[in-house]
Amino acid sequence: MIKTAVVGSTGYVGEELVRILCAHPQAGISYITSHSNAGQRYSEVYQSFNGLLADVCIEENIEELAGKVDVIFIALPHGIACKKINKSILDKVKVIDLGADFRIKNKETYEQWYKTEHEAPELLEEAVYGLCAWKRDKIREARLIANPGCYTTCSILSLMPLVKDGLICTESVIIDAKSGITGAGKALSPGTHFTECNESIKAYKIASHRHTPEIEQELSEFALKDIKLTFTPNLIPIQRGILATCYAKLLDKSLKYEDIREIYLKYYKGEYFIRIMQKDVYPETRWVRNSNFFDVGFKVDDRTGNVIVIGAIDNLVSGAAGQAVQNMNIMFGLEEKTGLKTVPVCL
Amino acid sequence: MIKTAVVGSTGYVGEELVRILCAHPQAGISYITSHSNAGQRYSEVYQSFNGLLADVCIEENIEELAGKVDVIFIALPHGIACKKINKSILDKVKVIDLGADFRIKNKETYEQWYKTEHEAPELLEEAVYGLCAWKRDKIREARLIANPGCYTTCSILSLMPLVKDGLICTESVIIDAKSGITGAGKALSPGTHFTECNESIKAYKIASHRHTPEIEQELSEFALKDIKLTFTPNLIPIQRGILATCYAKLLDKSLKYEDIREIYLKYYKGEYFIRIMQKDVYPETRWVRNSNFFDVGFKVDDRTGNVIVIGAIDNLVSGAAGQAVQNMNIMFGLEEKTGLKTVPVCL
Amino acid sequence: MIKTAVVGSTGYVGEELVRILCAHPQAGISYITSHSNAGQRYSEVYQSFNGLLADVCIEENIEELAGKVDVIFIALPHGIACKKINKSILDKVKVIDLGADFRIKNKETYEQWYKTEHEAPELLEEAVYGLCAWKRDKIREARLIANPGCYTTCSILSLMPLVKDGLICTESVIIDAKSGITGAGKALSPGTHFTECNESIKAYKIASHRHTPEIEQELSEFALKDIKLTFTPNLIPIQRGILATCYAKLLDKSLKYEDIREIYLKYYKGEYFIRIMQKDVYPETRWVRNSNFFDVGFKVDDRTGNVIVIGAIDNLVSGAAGQAVQNMNIMFGLEEKTGLKTVPVCL
Amino acid sequence: MIKTAVVGSTGYVGEELVRILCAHPQAGISYITSHSNAGQRYSEVYQSFNGLLADVCIEENIEELAGKVDVIFIALPHGIACKKINKSILDKVKVIDLGADFRIKNKETYEQWYKTEHEAPELLEEAVYGLCAWKRDKIREARLIANPGCYTTCSILSLMPLVKDGLICTESVIIDAKSGITGAGKALSPGTHFTECNESIKAYKIASHRHTPEIEQELSEFALKDIKLTFTPNLIPIQRGILATCYAKLLDKSLKYEDIREIYLKYYKGEYFIRIMQKDVYPETRWVRNSNFFDVGFKVDDRTGNVIVIGAIDNLVSGAAGQAVQNMNIMFGLEEKTGLKTVPVCL
């Protein structure tokens, strides 16, 4: 059994980690930490764990945890993990960081978008961007995983095959993404107060959301050239789910649906967690709810020469805790889908 | 591995059965039937099963299935199962009926509330009412299980300890129950059209819902006297969950919260799926979502002498498919919680 | 034109007052106050007022406002209005308080339920409980209106005809009320964070909600005897609406639906804002949404001798701002429905 | 008083027309027709009208109505109005068609997108596309108004100033629009069954929605060249509201927010129903709910050279019935906002 610690266990991503790990057949939770709920039973914070988890939240001490467990999951706001992690810790324990601190390879880009100094630039090279479908080999050897963001996972998986094969005009990429409100986290704010976000739709952080450089970085790596794109996130009054609608000009206007499909099959055929929809069927977030799946569908708009690729994930699972556990499975040599075989809960 | 067939697999209860059985470590789905989707892949009906279940729905033929599987789950509208099941089928296969046909022991009561003749009265005595927490011993020996209704499971589990110990005035019982809209099923109707039930609350079938005699039958059996009660169901714009708020006059006004708690502990202590909330904490449907748990809390209203008992379940799991699988586990000698250990999905 | 001031204009009840008064043909808003948004344009707080209201929120000074307007609406948390209002203010201006401070006639009862000392007990006798349908004559003469609570308006209007005519056992009354989440107000809290109340149902303050003594006071006055009842409020994930389901034993078991209907017609026939549903049709909150209507339906449960009365209102209109404006209309001799003729928005 | 008839009054657009006309100070409803509810009281179909509208739905007979009223509103599925309307009817009565039949000027384009023959091509030239802000002068003289679609109103108003002034690359336009579910109408379907669209997001009719040619026609007219664009509609689990997010490449990359703002002010300054948001504030559908407003905000993405324009309307009001009444007001010489002054209901 792999011994795990979950740091920041009472945030929403933390809760999903705890929920998934509770049911993992080859890993166990040894420690759960929470600054705001230290001293409280986890099941008092989330009554759903009544009778299932008797643990009490402790204050986080990564130094100490490093000697006691095999892997530490960190689910903290950005800017904290990079203060806590260093090479001596990585000598003792594997770390999967679900925050943003190690995702952006370029220190300046990070600081520009996150408006804060990066305190562990020396780890940026070592950190592996944990997008399982595309970075499996590096993940296997990694000591430090930068678990991808939710919008980013969905956006990159949607566009990567087209980018990798050089089929789209990289100046034309637009992503209009819609997210359920768990994506905004547990912190109270007027914009996530029920009565102010229910029964309404809104875009936010238009062309300025921090997941933008992360998507650009990964797509650029595979495009072998610098990509800049426009990214618009929207909040939708549902619990979970991201739908990323990606638009790009096809370089070859003669490409048909079937051609595009072939390319996605080429890259994704063996991927258990990636499902390519049938023709004229499009992802809906309910089909992946509560699961680690990424569903993708596409349409060629002959009239305009655009291809529209639509991807869907559960933001808390494939977009956070699920992919983190998948990363752990890869790092520890387990079958990738161990503990992640949940059938999506469509109702 | 137990071989199962799911008859009526594309209704909502059927879908939950298929979903739960897909992940059951000691049972497998051999056949799924659907009249309306015969010939279609299950994953075309519910895209959530893409890549997980390749089966095609067949037309139901219980006679034939009886010889091929160990247990048949029937998830059909009332009035059909009683036409299909007979003693010769039960000689060959175990049957768990999730409909209403075998729940009411009294043929006249059934016919009066369901407005249809009962076509297999000879099976009413043999059928075991599958409320696991209270009928475990009989379930173990049963060939035919009448799986309890959703409102009924929640209501009976909420009230039974008080009724069994004779603590409440049985003429005073009122149940005001709230259900998510999956409870109304898959059939289209104006009342479950999104725009006509979203953002609204309504009671329906007031003092006339068919789960009433079922609750009364079970409570009466344990009260050793005839109970009549007022039952009001409400539809609430959420997917899943039932909250049953039960009111009754305490016979002994000196009883305190702690006394009531003792009684619930006496009956429910060893029950894995029953959780008694701490004082001043009350069930919310989210704490049991997607799980087989029943949560219960209570309050003594000193001012009026009423006890208020609040129970919560997931109507599709503990209120239907989950309890059906628990029944199967008991019938086949498996550990009761096999395949049902899901942590509730509270977000 | 009646000159009005709205004190506490940026809370939800305040917003509804401003919205309704904006469209009132015989009243105008002279001042809007807000402690938390003082100095801000109202339309910055609520963008819905863009282009419609250019006013800036000021700090509240009731003393000063009293000399400048005809009526002051106060929409503040309990315990504040009773510090601000006194006889010398009432000599200058009419006051409609939408908080709880002047609703409970008995100082001790107020202090017991609200856990705070009442600072203006000398005004309790003068204050008129502004339940328009039952207190019209007193309202006409009043200087100080205690505008009824939301649950209370719905509950009292539902039960009053039966209580007034002595038809129910007053020891048997149970009210199970469901409210949309605007009822919990604008203050942020975990329980009204979208992701923690959406897709769930919960009861709260069971047998201890502060609207209980208010309902009891009014029913007792008309029953000519002391009534104690059990009241359970529930939060439902919708914006607006209250459904109050009231249960009571009929003293005369031979009463039929038609008899009950007669009684409601006797009391409510001329009431523009009270609508009695047809037989077998029950209120749904959507039918009154955004309007000042109170809809009521009922069912006699012959099997148990209970009558079930179901009332529905929009908690922000008839349950707060709408009735407050109706009170103003009565106080100033306008037609009662002036400015309140909105057709309910059912979609 | 203008005498009106509403044909197709029990659909959702019909209901909104009836609701708005009920409160219109200078128009009255003389006849309401409904094929599916002929013979029923309107208030039985929509209980919200109890006590407000005693009318009974009649079978539609446009010929006959033409002689009795001043204006007929037609809210029927496409393909019907063009069979019913002809020049002799227009000699007698003004017609405002809320369906699609007279929106597309080019018969072939209509037939290609709507897959049906157009039966009144001789009226296409006469019909005026009733987009009030841009076609006011023609509307004033019109006998037949083609009331714009919901997505189209929101999309055209969002983009028109940029198109008119030739500021964007017309090959680059992408519209990603999100709609509440009333937009899908009253007809039952699995995709609008509560449990199958709640808690999920989905795109549909991608690059093939019938509002596409309508948007293209209007933008092309003002661009003085042929525009083709990609349009993706999405269904969001809310009642009302459309958010149209429009993307286009700026031809002049040096344009700043302030420049764009100037252009919108130039065209929209006097428009009561059009509100330009402040910098860094973006439309949310709740700010226009239940009102005839169109809110618009924009962002220049310096990094990519795209401009993002976000528009919001209430699909049933400004996107259908509200604009229809505004058209009537213009046609009959009333002040445009008569009967449409509702403050948006943001809670």
Side-chain angles (χ1 to χ4, degrees):
Chain A
M1 291 290 279
I2 302 164
K3 281 191 234 159
T4 72
V6 178
V7 170
S9 67
T10 58
Y12 288 169
V13 166
E15 188 276 342
E16 283 291 288
L17 272 168
V18 174
R19 189 174 66 76
I20 292 171
L21 290 170
C22 266
H24 196 289
Q26 294 179 258
I29 301 172
S30 301
Y31 301 95
I32 53 179
T33 88
S34 166
H35 181 64
S36 39
N37 300 101
Q40 271 190 287
R41 265 178 194 276
Y42 199 74
S43 60
E44 285 174 70
V45 183
Y46 292 106
Q47 297 280 344
S48 45
F49 286 88
N50 252 330
L52 297 172
L53 189 71
D55 298 32
V56 167
C57 300
I58 59 171
E59 275 289 356
E60 159 264 313
N61 183 332
I62 285 179
E63 198 67 61
E64 216 179 293
L65 291 175
K68 296 179 167 170
V69 298
D70 302 310
V71 58
I72 300 176
F73 292 95
I74 303 181
L76 297 173
H78 75 267
I80 304 180
C82 65
K83 287 185 195 154
K84 307 269 182 181
I85 304 302
N86 52 52
K87 300 217 175 207
S88 99
I89 281 173
L90 295 180
D91 288 342
K92 289 187 267 180
V93 71
K94 288 182 188 287
V95 171
I96 298 173
D97 179 29
L98 290 94
D101 288 6
F102 302 105
R103 292 178 192 157
I104 305 289
K105 292 295 174 196
N106 184 302
K107 181 176 183 293
E108 286 67 43
T109 305
Y110 175 89
E111 295 180 343
Q112 178 190 332
W113 287 82
Y114 285 85
K115 317 281 184 214
T116 180
E117 205 185 327
H118 197 292
E119 308 210 14
E122 70 282 4
L123 295 177
L124 288 176
E125 210 195 313
E126 169 164 11
V128 172
Y129 189 75
L131 190 71
C132 301
W134 291 91
K135 300 283 174 86
R136 197 167 275 125
D137 292 338
K138 288 189 175 170
I139 294 164
R140 209 167 276 132
E141 312 300 327
R143 302 193 304 173
L144 173 58
I145 293 288
N147 204 62
C150 51
Y151 283 126
T152 45
T153 294
C154 196
S155 301
I156 300 170
L157 292 179
S158 293
L159 284 167
M160 195 65 105
L162 297 177
V163 166
K164 182 88 164 60
D165 276 13
L167 298 173
I168 54 176
C169 166
T170 52
E171 283 78 46
S172 72
V173 180
I174 284 165
I175 303 172
D176 189 287
K178 297 91 180 163
S179 173
I181 293 177
T182 49
K186 197 184 181 182
L188 304 184
S189 76
T192 52
H193 194 46
F194 181 87
T195 44
E196 312 228 357
C197 60
N198 184 45
E199 288 294 310
S200 194
I201 323 166
K202 65 176 165 224
Y204 67 106
K205 295 187 189 159
I206 299 146
S208 59
H209 192 281
R210 287 161 172 172
H211 285 180
T212 313
E214 192 181 329
I215 302 169
E216 290 177 346
Q217 165 184 289
E218 295 304 307
L219 294 183
S220 296
E221 180 188 331
F222 285 86
L224 305 175
K225 66 189 230 195
D226 200 38
I227 293 182
K228 293 263 174 288
L229 51 82
T230 289
F231 175 71
T232 306
N234 296 272
L235 273 191
I236 303 295
I238 66 173
Q239 298 289 108
R240 308 170 164 245
I242 284 178
L243 194 79
T245 312
C246 309
Y247 300 90
K249 289 273 175 218
L250 284 170
L251 292 174
D252 175 354
K253 307 292 184 208
S254 72
L255 287 176
K256 300 277 166 245
Y257 171 85
E258 289 69 21
D259 304 314
I260 306 288
R261 183 176 172 81
E262 273 312 302
I263 290 150
Y264 279 80
L265 282 172
K266 177 173 75 177
Y267 288 108
Y268 289 152
K269 196 156 194 188
E271 295 292 331
Y272 177 81
F273 290 120
I274 297 184
R275 306 191 295 192
I276 301 168
M277 311 298 283
Q278 296 301 310
K279 192 169 185 184
D280 295 327
V281 180
Y282 296 95
E284 306 184 16
T285 57
R286 62 177 171 145
W287 301 129
V288 298
R289 189 160 51 213
N290 198 32
S291 82
N292 202 44
F293 288 101
F294 163 72
D295 281 0
V296 65
F298 25 80
K299 169 92 178 181
V300 174
D301 184 359
D302 293 328
R303 301 169 61 258
T304 61
N306 287 318
V307 61
I308 303 116
V309 184
I310 303 183
I313 60 167
D314 182 314
N315 57 302
L316 291 176
V317 185
S318 166
Q323 186 158 228
V325 170
Q326 190 181 352
N327 270 304
M328 177 190 78
N329 290 344
I330 297 175
M331 292 165 97
F332 287 85
L334 308 183
E335 196 194 7
E336 272 191 45
K337 56 180 186 279
T338 311
L340 294 167
K341 282 181 277 189
T342 323
V343 180
V345 178
C346 68
L347 292 175
Chain B
M1 292 290 280
I2 302 164
K3 280 191 234 160
T4 73
V6 178
V7 170
S9 67
T10 57
Y12 288 170
V13 167
E15 187 277 343
E16 283 292 288
L17 272 167
V18 174
R19 190 174 65 77
I20 292 172
L21 290 170
C22 267
H24 196 291
Q26 295 179 257
I29 301 173
S30 302
Y31 301 94
I32 51 178
T33 87
S34 166
H35 181 63
S36 38
N37 300 101
Q40 271 189 286
R41 267 178 193 275
Y42 199 74
S43 60
E44 283 174 71
V45 184
Y46 291 107
Q47 297 278 346
S48 46
F49 287 88
N50 252 331
L52 297 172
L53 189 71
D55 298 32
V56 168
C57 300
I58 57 170
E59 275 289 356
E60 159 264 313
N61 182 332
I62 286 180
E63 199 67 61
E64 215 179 294
L65 291 175
K68 297 180 167 171
V69 298
D70 301 311
V71 58
I72 299 175
F73 292 95
I74 303 181
L76 296 174
H78 76 268
I80 304 179
C82 65
K83 287 187 195 154
K84 307 269 181 180
I85 303 302
N86 53 51
K87 298 215 177 212
S88 98
I89 282 174
L90 295 181
D91 287 342
K92 289 187 266 179
V93 71
K94 288 180 187 287
V95 172
I96 299 173
D97 179 29
L98 290 95
D101 287 7
F102 301 105
R103 291 178 191 159
I104 305 288
K105 292 295 173 195
N106 184 301
K107 181 176 183 291
E108 285 68 43
T109 306
Y110 175 88
E111 294 179 346
Q112 179 189 329
W113 286 82
Y114 285 85
K115 317 278 184 219
T116 180
E117 205 185 330
H118 198 292
E119 308 210 14
E122 69 283 3
L123 294 177
L124 288 177
E125 210 194 313
E126 168 164 13
V128 171
Y129 189 75
L131 190 71
C132 301
W134 291 91
K135 301 282 173 85
R136 196 167 276 122
D137 292 339
K138 288 190 175 170
I139 293 164
R140 208 166 277 128
E141 313 300 328
R143 303 193 303 174
L144 172 59
I145 294 289
N147 204 62
C150 52
Y151 283 126
T152 46
T153 295
C154 196
S155 301
I156 300 170
L157 292 178
S158 293
L159 285 168
M160 195 66 106
L162 298 177
V163 166
K164 183 88 165 61
D165 277 14
L167 297 172
I168 53 175
C169 167
T170 52
E171 282 78 49
S172 72
V173 179
I174 283 165
I175 303 171
D176 190 286
K178 297 92 181 161
S179 174
I181 292 176
T182 50
K186 196 184 182 183
L188 305 183
S189 76
T192 53
H193 194 47
F194 182 88
T195 44
E196 312 229 357
C197 60
N198 185 45
E199 287 295 309
S200 194
I201 324 166
K202 66 176 165 222
Y204 68 106
K205 294 187 191 159
I206 298 146
S208 58
H209 191 281
R210 286 160 173 175
H211 284 180
T212 313
E214 191 181 328
I215 302 169
E216 290 177 346
Q217 165 184 288
E218 296 303 306
L219 294 182
S220 296
E221 179 188 331
F222 285 85
L224 304 174
K225 66 188 229 194
D226 200 40
I227 293 181
K228 293 262 173 292
L229 51 80
T230 289
F231 176 71
T232 306
N234 296 272
L235 272 192
I236 303 295
I238 67 173
Q239 297 290 105
R240 307 168 165 246
I242 285 178
L243 195 78
T245 312
C246 309
Y247 301 91
K249 289 275 175 216
L250 284 170
L251 292 175
D252 175 354
K253 307 293 184 209
S254 72
L255 288 176
K256 300 278 166 246
Y257 171 85
E258 289 70 20
D259 305 313
I260 306 288
R261 184 177 172 80
E262 274 311 303
I263 290 150
Y264 279 80
L265 282 172
K266 178 173 74 177
Y267 288 107
Y268 289 152
K269 198 159 193 185
E271 294 292 332
Y272 177 81
F273 290 121
I274 297 184
R275 307 190 296 192
I276 301 169
M277 311 297 282
Q278 295 301 307
K279 192 170 184 183
D280 294 328
V281 180
Y282 296 95
E284 306 184 15
T285 57
R286 63 177 170 145
W287 301 128
V288 298
R289 189 162 49 216
N290 198 30
S291 81
N292 202 44
F293 287 102
F294 163 72
D295 281 0
V296 65
F298 24 80
K299 169 92 177 181
V300 174
D301 184 359
D302 292 328
R303 301 168 63 258
T304 60
N306 287 319
V307 61
I308 302 114
V309 184
I310 302 182
I313 61 167
D314 182 313
N315 56 301
L316 290 177
V317 186
S318 165
Q323 187 159 226
V325 170
Q326 191 181 352
N327 271 305
M328 177 191 78
N329 290 344
I330 297 175
M331 292 165 97
F332 287 85
L334 308 183
E335 197 194 7
E336 271 189 47
K337 55 181 187 279
T338 312
L340 294 168
K341 281 180 278 189
T342 323
V343 181
V345 178
C346 68
L347 293 176
Chain C
M1 290 291 279
I2 302 164
K3 281 191 233 160
T4 72
V6 177
V7 171
S9 68
T10 57
Y12 288 170
V13 167
E15 187 277 342
E16 284 291 288
L17 272 167
V18 174
R19 190 174 65 78
I20 292 171
L21 290 170
C22 267
H24 196 289
Q26 294 179 259
I29 301 172
S30 301
Y31 301 95
I32 51 178
T33 88
S34 165
H35 180 64
S36 40
N37 300 101
Q40 271 190 285
R41 263 177 196 277
Y42 199 74
S43 60
E44 283 174 71
V45 184
Y46 292 106
Q47 297 278 346
S48 45
F49 287 87
N50 253 331
L52 297 171
L53 189 72
D55 298 33
V56 168
C57 301
I58 59 171
E59 275 289 355
E60 159 263 313
N61 183 334
I62 286 180
E63 198 67 63
E64 216 180 294
L65 291 175
K68 297 178 168 171
V69 299
D70 302 311
V71 58
I72 300 176
F73 291 94
I74 303 182
L76 295 172
H78 76 267
I80 303 178
C82 65
K83 287 185 195 153
K84 308 269 182 179
I85 303 302
N86 53 50
K87 300 217 175 209
S88 99
I89 282 174
L90 296 181
D91 287 342
K92 289 186 268 178
V93 71
K94 288 182 188 287
V95 172
I96 298 174
D97 179 28
L98 289 93
D101 288 8
F102 301 105
R103 292 178 191 158
I104 305 288
K105 292 295 173 194
N106 184 302
K107 181 176 183 293
E108 285 68 43
T109 305
Y110 175 88
E111 294 180 344
Q112 179 190 329
W113 286 82
Y114 285 86
K115 318 280 184 214
T116 181
E117 206 186 329
H118 198 293
E119 308 210 13
E122 70 282 3
L123 294 177
L124 289 176
E125 210 194 313
E126 169 165 11
V128 171
Y129 189 75
L131 190 71
C132 302
W134 291 92
K135 301 283 174 83
R136 197 168 275 124
D137 292 339
K138 288 189 175 170
I139 293 164
R140 208 166 277 129
E141 312 300 327
R143 304 193 301 175
L144 172 58
I145 293 289
N147 204 62
C150 52
Y151 283 125
T152 47
T153 294
C154 196
S155 301
I156 300 170
L157 292 178
S158 292
L159 285 168
M160 195 64 106
L162 298 178
V163 166
K164 184 87 163 60
D165 276 13
L167 298 173
I168 54 176
C169 167
T170 52
E171 283 78 47
S172 72
V173 179
I174 283 164
I175 303 171
D176 190 285
K178 297 91 181 163
S179 174
I181 292 177
T182 49
K186 196 185 184 181
L188 304 184
S189 76
T192 53
H193 195 46
F194 181 88
T195 43
E196 313 228 356
C197 61
N198 185 44
E199 288 294 309
S200 194
I201 324 166
K202 65 176 165 222
Y204 67 105
K205 294 187 190 160
I206 299 147
S208 58
H209 191 280
R210 286 158 172 176
H211 284 180
T212 312
E214 192 180 330
I215 302 169
E216 290 176 346
Q217 165 183 290
E218 294 304 306
L219 295 183
S220 298
E221 180 187 331
F222 286 85
L224 305 174
K225 67 187 227 194
D226 200 39
I227 292 182
K228 293 265 173 289
L229 52 80
T230 289
F231 175 70
T232 306
N234 295 272
L235 273 192
I236 303 295
I238 66 173
Q239 296 291 105
R240 307 167 164 248
I242 284 178
L243 195 79
T245 312
C246 309
Y247 300 91
K249 290 272 173 218
L250 284 170
L251 291 174
D252 175 353
K253 307 293 184 208
S254 71
L255 289 177
K256 301 275 165 249
Y257 171 85
E258 288 70 21
D259 305 314
I260 306 289
R261 184 176 172 82
E262 274 312 302
I263 291 151
Y264 278 79
L265 283 172
K266 178 173 74 177
Y267 288 107
Y268 288 151
K269 196 155 194 189
E271 294 292 332
Y272 176 81
F273 290 121
I274 297 184
R275 307 190 295 191
I276 300 169
M277 311 298 282
Q278 295 302 309
K279 193 171 183 182
D280 295 327
V281 180
Y282 296 95
E284 305 184 16
T285 57
R286 63 178 170 143
W287 302 129
V288 298
R289 189 161 50 213
N290 198 31
S291 82
N292 202 44
F293 288 101
F294 162 72
D295 280 0
V296 64
F298 24 80
K299 169 91 178 181
V300 174
D301 184 358
D302 293 326
R303 302 169 62 257
T304 61
N306 287 319
V307 61
I308 302 116
V309 185
I310 302 183
I313 61 168
D314 182 312
N315 56 303
L316 291 175
V317 185
S318 165
Q323 186 159 230
V325 170
Q326 191 181 352
N327 271 305
M328 178 190 79
N329 290 344
I330 298 174
M331 293 165 95
F332 287 84
L334 308 183
E335 195 193 9
E336 271 189 47
K337 57 180 186 279
T338 313
L340 294 167
K341 280 181 279 189
T342 324
V343 181
V345 179
C346 69
L347 291 176
Chain D
M1 292 290 280
I2 302 164
K3 280 192 234 159
T4 72
V6 178
V7 170
S9 67
T10 58
Y12 288 169
V13 167
E15 187 277 343
E16 283 291 289
L17 273 168
V18 175
R19 190 174 67 77
I20 293 171
L21 290 170
C22 267
H24 196 289
Q26 294 179 258
I29 301 171
S30 301
Y31 301 94
I32 52 178
T33 88
S34 166
H35 181 63
S36 38
N37 300 101
Q40 271 189 286
R41 263 177 195 277
Y42 199 73
S43 60
E44 284 174 70
V45 183
Y46 292 107
Q47 296 279 345
S48 45
F49 287 87
N50 252 332
L52 296 171
L53 189 70
D55 297 32
V56 167
C57 301
I58 59 171
E59 275 290 355
E60 159 264 313
N61 183 333
I62 286 180
E63 197 68 60
E64 214 178 294
L65 291 174
K68 297 177 166 172
V69 299
D70 302 310
V71 58
I72 300 176
F73 292 95
I74 303 181
L76 296 174
H78 76 267
I80 303 180
C82 64
K83 288 186 194 153
K84 308 269 182 180
I85 303 302
N86 53 50
K87 299 215 176 210
S88 100
I89 282 173
L90 295 180
D91 287 342
K92 290 185 267 179
V93 70
K94 287 180 188 287
V95 171
I96 299 174
D97 179 29
L98 290 95
D101 287 7
F102 301 105
R103 293 178 190 157
I104 306 289
K105 291 295 173 197
N106 183 301
K107 182 177 183 291
E108 285 68 43
T109 305
Y110 175 88
E111 295 180 344
Q112 177 189 332
W113 287 82
Y114 286 86
K115 317 280 183 214
T116 180
E117 205 185 329
H118 197 294
E119 309 210 14
E122 70 282 5
L123 295 177
L124 288 175
E125 208 194 316
E126 168 163 13
V128 171
Y129 189 75
L131 190 71
C132 302
W134 291 92
K135 300 283 173 85
R136 196 168 276 122
D137 292 339
K138 288 191 174 170
I139 293 164
R140 207 167 277 129
E141 313 300 327
R143 303 192 303 173
L144 171 59
I145 293 289
N147 204 62
C150 51
Y151 283 125
T152 46
T153 294
C154 195
S155 301
I156 300 170
L157 292 178
S158 292
L159 285 167
M160 195 65 106
L162 298 177
V163 166
K164 183 87 164 63
D165 277 15
L167 298 171
I168 53 176
C169 166
T170 52
E171 283 78 47
S172 71
V173 180
I174 283 165
I175 304 172
D176 189 287
K178 297 90 180 164
S179 174
I181 292 177
T182 50
K186 197 185 184 182
L188 304 184
S189 76
T192 53
H193 194 47
F194 182 88
T195 43
E196 313 229 356
C197 61
N198 185 45
E199 289 293 311
S200 195
I201 324 164
K202 65 175 165 223
Y204 67 105
K205 293 187 191 160
I206 299 147
S208 58
H209 191 281
R210 287 160 172 174
H211 285 179
T212 312
E214 191 181 330
I215 302 169
E216 290 176 346
Q217 165 184 288
E218 295 304 306
L219 294 182
S220 297
E221 178 187 333
F222 286 86
L224 304 174
K225 66 188 229 195
D226 200 38
I227 292 181
K228 293 264 173 288
L229 51 82
T230 289
F231 176 70
T232 307
N234 295 272
L235 272 192
I236 303 295
I238 67 173
Q239 297 290 107
R240 310 170 162 245
I242 284 178
L243 194 79
T245 313
C246 309
Y247 301 90
K249 289 274 173 217
L250 284 170
L251 291 174
D252 175 353
K253 307 293 184 207
S254 72
L255 288 176
K256 301 277 166 244
Y257 170 85
E258 289 70 20
D259 305 314
I260 306 288
R261 183 176 173 81
E262 274 311 302
I263 291 152
Y264 279 80
L265 282 172
K266 179 174 74 178
Y267 288 108
Y268 289 152
K269 199 159 191 185
E271 294 292 331
Y272 177 81
F273 291 120
I274 297 184
R275 307 190 296 191
I276 301 169
M277 311 298 283
Q278 296 301 309
K279 191 170 184 182
D280 295 327
V281 180
Y282 296 95
E284 306 183 17
T285 56
R286 63 177 172 146
W287 301 128
V288 297
R289 191 161 48 215
N290 198 31
S291 81
N292 201 44
F293 288 101
F294 163 72
D295 280 1
V296 65
F298 26 78
K299 169 91 179 181
V300 174
D301 184 1
D302 293 327
R303 301 168 63 257
T304 60
N306 287 319
V307 62
I308 302 115
V309 185
I310 302 183
I313 60 167
D314 182 314
N315 55 303
L316 291 176
V317 185
S318 166
Q323 186 159 230
V325 170
Q326 189 180 353
N327 271 305
M328 177 191 79
N329 290 344
I330 298 174
M331 293 165 96
F332 287 84
L334 307 184
E335 195 193 7
E336 271 189 46
K337 56 181 186 279
T338 313
L340 294 168
K341 280 181 279 190
T342 322
V343 181
V345 178
C346 68
L347 292 176

